Amino acid sequence: MNKALFLDRDGIINERIIGGYITKPAEFKLIPESLSLFAWAKEHGYMTVIVTNQQGIGKGLMTEQDLADVHAYMCSLLAEHGFAPDAIEFCPDLDGTNSPRRKPAPGMLLDAAQQLDIDLSSSWMIGDSITDAQAGKKAGTTTILVGTYSNIPEADFICADVGECAEILIPLG
């Protein structure tokens, strides 16, 4: 079985637009420190899987093609540094719909695990919202929550910023 580093997109790989959505490539700003996560995964034999809620589609603010364009741009930026995600899972469902794929539900992680033969107990989930940690915990991964949080039971580790995450990651098996 494979092991994976699951990464939330907005706030971990790219700068989040507070109160808004990234709807086109020009709005996507790579967080340079995120490259250390891809480097760590590559060095330690982990797949990288991006799992991202994208309710902007459900709200009609963007199309799936808009999202594909943003992801193509993101992948081109990562490729410039020798990295490529093994998979990108997204959920366009609106908050409050009880979607099995929308974080905090673990569906995106479970689907990727099934498709890519991933051992979730040997994998990590890194995100910047409590729902990321909840999804990771429900899926059975070790979780890192990025931000100014404290006492979040779903988070195995908390980092102030993305740059600190690679210091916490340890191979689980």
Side-chain angles (χ1 to χ4, degrees), residues 9-161:
R9 194 192 78 182
D10 299 329
I12 299 300
I13 297 172
N14 62 276
E15 294 176 12
R16 175 182 296 280
I17 296 178
I18 304 301
Y21 300 92
I22 294 173
T23 61
K24 54 190 169 199
E27 297 168 339
F28 185 94
K29 306 293 183 219
L30 184 71
I31 296 173
E33 293 81 8
S34 70
L35 297 172
S36 67
L37 301 175
F38 286 92
W40 181 90
K42 191 173 190 178
E43 179 182 340
H44 290 91
Y46 282 68
M47 300 180 93
T48 51
V49 179
I50 298 167
V51 288
T52 180
N53 287 342
Q54 291 296 319
Q55 74 173 352
I57 295 170
K59 289 181 174 182
L61 302 174
M62 61 191 296
T63 65
E64 286 194 23
Q65 184 58 54
D66 294 332
L67 181 63
D69 293 344
V70 169
H71 286 166
Y73 179 68
M74 173 187 68
C75 288
S76 72
L77 292 176
L78 293 171
E80 289 175 10
H81 299 279
F83 305 121
D86 293 286
I88 301 172
E89 295 281 335
F90 72 92
C91 180
D93 301 336
L94 296 173
D95 192 20
T97 59
N98 294 321
S99 167
R101 286 181 49 85
R102 183 175 170 76
K103 295 177 286 182
M108 287 188 281
L109 287 84
L110 298 176
D111 289 348
Q114 183 177 15
Q115 294 165 14
L116 300 171
D117 192 33
I118 294 171
D119 176 9
L120 292 165
S121 67
S122 296
S123 298
W124 292 82
M125 173 67 204
I126 300 176
D128 67 332
S129 71
I130 294 171
T131 58
D132 296 321
Q134 290 169 330
K137 192 54 67 180
K138 289 175 186 174
T141 68
T142 302
T143 60
I144 299 176
L145 187 56
V146 176
T148 56
Y149 296 99
S150 62
N151 300 321
I152 306 298
E154 295 87 359
D156 294 300
F157 301 94
I158 298 175
C159 294
D161 58 52

